[in-house]
Amino acid sequence: MTHALFQPIQLGSLSLANRIVMPPMTRSRASQPGNVANDMMAEYYAQRASAGLIVAEGTQISPMGQGYAWTPGIYTPEQIAGWKKVTDAVHANDGAIFAQLWHVGRVTHPDNIGGAQPISSSALKAENVKVFIDNGSDAPGFVDVVEPRAMTQDDINAVIAEYRQAALNAIEAGFDGIELHAANGYLVNQFIDSEANNRTDEYGGSVENRLRFLGEVVQAMIDAIGAERVGVRLAPFTSLNGTVDANPIETYTAAAALLNTLGVVYLHIAEVDWDDAPDTPVAFKQAVREAYQGVIIYAGRYDSEKGAQAINDGLADMIGFGRPFIANPDLPRRIAHNYPWAEHDPATLFGGAEKGLLDYPAYQKS
Ligand SMILES: Cc1cc2nc3c(=O)[nH]c(=O)nc-3n(C[C@H](O)[C@H](O)[C@H](O)COP(=O)(O)O)c2cc1C
């Protein structure tokens, strides 16, 4: 039954060994100061290189793009060098790895962005959303986000240029490609979703207008590194970080059609996040399949049976297993042999060092 997950698949010019994806997971262990990927992270990803594709954790494209303390960036020479260690280690183990490029928009606090006011599509505060700060004087911890200011056309042009440069930096760092983080309530999502965008210019209002920023960012990155190295992550139905669309089926089917026209190499749909797990209607998945001809990845509470089923049903091409990859570095082998899966420790997900990152063993038969 699970063999569907082990059919090889082509992703642009990459021949992937299987259809199992390690989706992006923030682990907040970048070296300080400077938010630099490090040897510990290289070993963590190398341990998981038997995934057909790794999408590395959300990585800010600029200082303003950072939402949480200790997450890695990809805009300084030191950060690029840090990521090179990671990509070299994954490639040495025959893995493939994309970078997830991240701008959080309004989901941040001035303490994470040099004292500035956050930016978003609109001057709308995300309600009941907290981010993690480490300001050097108080104990690190969670605080409420603040009201952002609406981006001007100059801001929009500048952020598009940052995405473009980050894509180039990712290739310089040895990544096989990049995933635009347009999901989970961060900046691109703040343009797409109707309830987070009250602009009256060409970036707000109609679906076409709300998708304009997404399209311009993707086009800039494609111009820089080629469509076969650009994937996009969307989260149509979740309300993570307070971002909601009034008509998600219409909006996200149109997004899939736009990304098809642009020719991105994959579409990665986050179906759930944490406990926020709305149903993704089958009719929507069929509409996405019709609208978009590239590789489709789904993630969110999959087990091997359900993942294989989605591929056999023709709705998905690859499946992301998030939390399972944290405690099971050899997850593809466990799926192939039907070995049991270990549970991760929630206390060591974010921050800290090797514990909870590197010390989950491969399965051993007793
Ligand atoms: C610790 C943790 C960190 C995460 N960080 C990110 C992230 O940086 N970017 C992202 O798009 N999704 C992130 N996610 C969501 C996962 O990619 C995935 O969609 C989610 O965990 C659901 O899949 P699962 O049920 O298999 O874990 C994170 C999830 C976890 C558990």
Side-chain angles (χ1 to χ4, degrees):
M1 179 62 199
T2 54
H3 69 271
L5 288 163
F6 293 94
Q7 294 160 4
I9 184 168
Q10 200 67 23
L11 187 72
S13 62
L14 298 173
S15 302
L16 305 182
N18 59 56
R19 292 163 181 250
I20 297 168
V21 177
M22 177 181 172
M25 283 180 290
T26 292
R27 305 301 308 273
S28 308
R29 285 166 166 87
S31 294
Q32 302 304 319
N35 300 315
V36 179
N38 50 42
D39 292 327
M40 185 170 68
M41 292 162 63
E43 188 177 342
Y44 162 71
Y45 285 111
Q47 286 176 348
R48 288 155 181 78
S50 62
L53 176 68
I54 293 172
V55 185
E57 64 210 86
T59 297
Q60 57 266 9
I61 60 168
S62 64
M64 279 291 282
Q66 180 166 7
Y68 309 86
W70 312 332
T71 58
I74 192 152
Y75 53 88
T76 69
E78 294 74 23
Q79 291 166 346
I80 296 170
W83 279 119
K84 186 84 174 67
K85 296 181 190 174
V86 175
T87 61
D88 281 347
V90 170
H91 290 147
N93 287 359
D94 296 324
I97 182 165
F98 273 42
Q100 191 187 44
L101 300 186
W102 195 16
H103 193 305
V104 297
R106 69 183 182 178
V107 183
T108 192
H109 182 276
D111 281 4
N112 282 332
I113 53 175
Q117 184 180 12
I119 54 174
S120 183
S121 62
S122 312
L124 295 170
K125 180 171 177 270
E127 294 303 332
N128 303 317
V129 172
K130 290 184 186 296
V131 291
F132 191 80
I133 62 164
D134 178 11
N135 62 16
S137 45
D138 311 312
F142 283 93
V143 294
D144 288 324
V145 300
V146 302
E147 184 175 308
R149 66 177 178 81
M151 290 166 73
T152 63
Q153 184 66 54
D154 283 349
D155 292 322
I156 289 173
N157 297 345
V159 171
I160 291 172
E162 289 170 1
Y163 275 113
R164 179 180 184 283
Q165 186 60 49
L168 289 167
N169 293 352
I171 298 305
E172 187 183 338
F175 282 103
D176 297 299
I178 66 93
E179 173 176 291
L180 172 66
H181 195 348
N184 297 354
Y186 299 110
L187 182 61
V188 182
N189 206 167
Q190 292 157 29
F191 276 84
I192 298 173
D193 282 4
S194 59
E195 307 310 290
N197 180 342
N198 65 7
R199 297 181 76 95
T200 53
D201 63 2
E202 60 179 359
Y203 293 94
S206 65
V207 174
E208 188 189 357
N209 281 358
R210 285 184 280 115
L211 294 176
R212 191 176 310 282
F213 183 64
L214 167 70
E216 290 181 354
V217 170
V218 169
Q219 187 64 59
M221 296 192 304
I222 286 175
D223 290 346
I225 66 170
E228 75 285 357
R229 295 197 286 197
V230 175
V232 175
R233 188 169 221 211
L234 300 171
F237 299 101
T238 63
S239 57
L240 191 73
N241 291 317
T243 305
V244 173
D245 191 75
N247 294 299
I249 293 185
E250 182 198 358
T251 299
Y252 284 90
T253 307
L258 170 67
L259 295 170
N260 192 59
T261 306
L262 293 169
V264 299
V265 73
Y266 72 70
L267 187 51
H268 187 176
I269 296 192
E271 292 186 73
V272 312
D273 210 90
W274 302 97
D275 296 325
D276 178 13
D279 275 339
T280 309
V282 173
F284 172 74
K285 292 187 179 179
Q286 285 163 342
V288 169
R289 185 53 112 188
E290 276 174 36
Y292 175 74
Q293 266 89 57
V295 169
I296 299 178
I297 307 170
Y298 282 97
R301 290 199 179 159
Y302 279 86
D303 59 22
S304 41
E305 292 285 310
K306 195 178 157 212
Q309 190 66 51
I311 292 170
N312 285 331
D313 288 345
L315 296 172
D317 300 300
M318 300 183 78
I319 299 293
F321 298 87
R323 286 163 283 193
F325 253 114
I326 291 178
N328 301 278
D330 56 340
L331 188 68
R333 183 171 148 267
R334 295 196 195 212
I335 292 173
H337 297 282
N338 219 9
Y339 296 152
W341 294 5
E343 290 287 327
H344 71 267
D345 174 6
T348 52
L349 284 178
F350 303 107
E354 282 90 351
K355 187 173 177 330
L357 189 76
L358 302 182
D359 53 358
Y360 292 110
Y363 181 71
Q364 285 184 328
K365 275 190 265 186
S366 48

